[in-house]
Amino acid sequence: QMLLGESGGGLVQPGGSLRLSCTAAGFISGFYAMGWFRQAPGKERELVSCISNHDVESYADAVKGRFTISRDNAGNTVYLQMNSLKPEDTAVYYCARGNNDCTERYIEVWGQGTLVSVSS
């Protein structure tokens, strides 16, 4: 069974940092594009960041310069380091496995989501 398990969400003040982790089970995450999506209340789910199977990183404009995606293939884990957090970053964050990229309609495995709340 292919699973993704996220952790690291929580409540943080504006300007703070969090690191999300996503550990894969049942497959080797390094063979795939891995992404982080988020869904804020009342909004559609959006792609935040993707790391390809060749370690090419991409970011949504809203998070460029503040978020960094990385992977630890030995630990079968993908991370999202989030710095300078803003209230508008509040959302449920989902880890996802793509194939060659992180196009949402081609996502094959989703995590259960972890809530990030940015508030003073």
Side-chain angles (χ1 to χ4, degrees):
Q1 188 176 9
M2 295 177 290
L3 298 172
L4 292 170
E6 300 108 330
S7 62
L11 175 64
V12 64
Q13 292 186 340
S17 297
L18 285 174
R19 188 176 80 156
L20 305 182
S21 300
C22 170
T23 299
F27 67 95
I28 299 173
S29 61
F31 289 173
Y32 299 90
M34 298 293 295
W36 288 95
F37 291 75
R38 68 184 180 187
Q39 187 166 23
K43 295 188 176 181
E44 292 187 354
R45 186 163 52 194
E46 62 177 352
L47 176 63
V48 174
S49 182
C50 182
I51 184 165
S52 77
N53 54 350
H54 298 292
D55 290 341
V56 176
E57 302 168 26
S58 60
Y59 299 92
D61 288 343
V63 307
K64 278 181 183 175
R66 300 188 297 122
F67 290 12
T68 303
I69 193 169
S70 62
R71 68 197 316 163
D72 170 14
N73 288 337
N76 219 18
T77 299
V78 177
Y79 301 97
L80 185 68
Q81 177 67 43
M82 305 185 295
N83 299 327
S84 303
L85 283 161
K86 305 176 181 180
E88 52 264 42
D89 294 318
T90 295
V92 177
Y93 284 71
Y94 297 92
C95 180
R97 189 194 89 177
N99 199 336
N100 295 317
D101 60 29
C102 297
T103 303
E104 185 169 353
R105 66 177 177 270
Y106 298 130
I107 293 297
E108 299 169 334
V109 184
W110 290 97
Q112 81 283 359
T114 185
L115 177 63
V116 172
S117 296
V118 185
S119 174
S120 55

